[in-house]
Amino acid sequence: MNPRRKQRLIAVSAIVLVMAGAVSLMLYALNQNIDLFYTPTEIVEGKNGAKPQPGQRLRVGGLVVEGSVERDPDSLAVSFDLMDTGPKVTVRYQGILPDLFREGQGIVATGTLQQGDVIEAEEVLAKHDEEYMPPEVAEAMKGIKHVKPSENTSY
């Protein structure tokens, strides 16, 4: 092989290796920050044949079970059960809950799955009014798919 071609081949190979390493590091970093959405049933029974692993970051949406909210009198710690149509999961949260948070209401919590069906939440979001439900929760619970008003032509 011509020495000049050999140098070009080494340079191109080095560039390809560096690019592959950079893309691998980016994908690894993004994988750490992806929060997949689950319903309580999907956490307990699995989603598409795979159950979330303890330590995995996720978002969970469902209804707060009535009578399940327990507040610690000495701190801002609160725990409550969350359910959809199936089993319940327990959400533990340290902080001030949204003003609209109450039992029987749909919420979305972001956090880390602990052992079993316990989620250590970092953020809890409540719905805005009685009719609103997060689209992902509505689709998971009732099979209702959100349609933009411009796409709905049946007046």
Side-chain angles (χ1 to χ4, degrees):
M1 182 178 280
N2 184 348
R4 189 173 182 167
R5 284 186 171 186
K6 191 174 184 179
Q7 284 182 339
R8 283 185 189 165
L9 180 64
I10 291 172
V12 169
S13 299
I15 290 171
V16 169
L17 286 175
V18 169
M19 294 291 285
V23 169
S24 298
L25 289 174
M26 283 187 341
L27 291 176
Y28 179 75
L30 289 174
N31 191 24
Q32 299 287 324
N33 296 323
I34 293 175
D35 299 332
L36 298 176
F37 181 81
Y38 289 92
T39 63
T41 301
E42 291 171 340
I43 289 174
V44 174
E45 297 177 357
K47 179 179 185 180
N48 299 329
K51 294 174 77 171
Q53 300 298 313
Q56 178 180 343
R57 288 185 44 86
L58 51 82
R59 289 188 311 138
V60 59
L63 299 176
V64 178
V65 176
E66 298 204 19
S68 68
V69 178
E70 297 177 9
R71 298 176 191 269
D72 184 14
D74 299 327
S75 68
L76 294 176
V78 63
S79 72
F80 53 91
D81 291 337
L82 200 62
M83 67 178 290
D84 53 354
T85 57
K88 302 176 203 172
V89 296
T90 301
V91 177
R92 292 187 299 202
Y93 179 66
Q94 179 80 25
I96 299 173
L97 290 169
D99 292 338
L100 298 174
F101 178 89
R102 61 181 176 266
E103 296 174 351
Q105 179 178 353
I107 64 133
V108 174
T110 303
T112 306
L113 180 64
Q114 305 297 312
Q115 290 291 356
D117 55 355
V118 177
I119 297 158
E120 195 73 37
E122 299 167 1
E123 181 179 31
V124 174
L125 303 173
K127 67 179 185 176
H128 294 99
D129 62 16
E130 295 177 7
E131 299 298 321
Y132 177 79
M133 182 174 287
E136 297 144 328
V137 175
E139 187 173 345
M141 292 182 62
K142 300 177 185 175
I144 300 171
K145 185 154 179 106
H146 178 71
V147 178
K148 292 181 181 178
S150 61
E151 296 175 8
N152 188 3
T153 57
S154 60
Y155 289 103

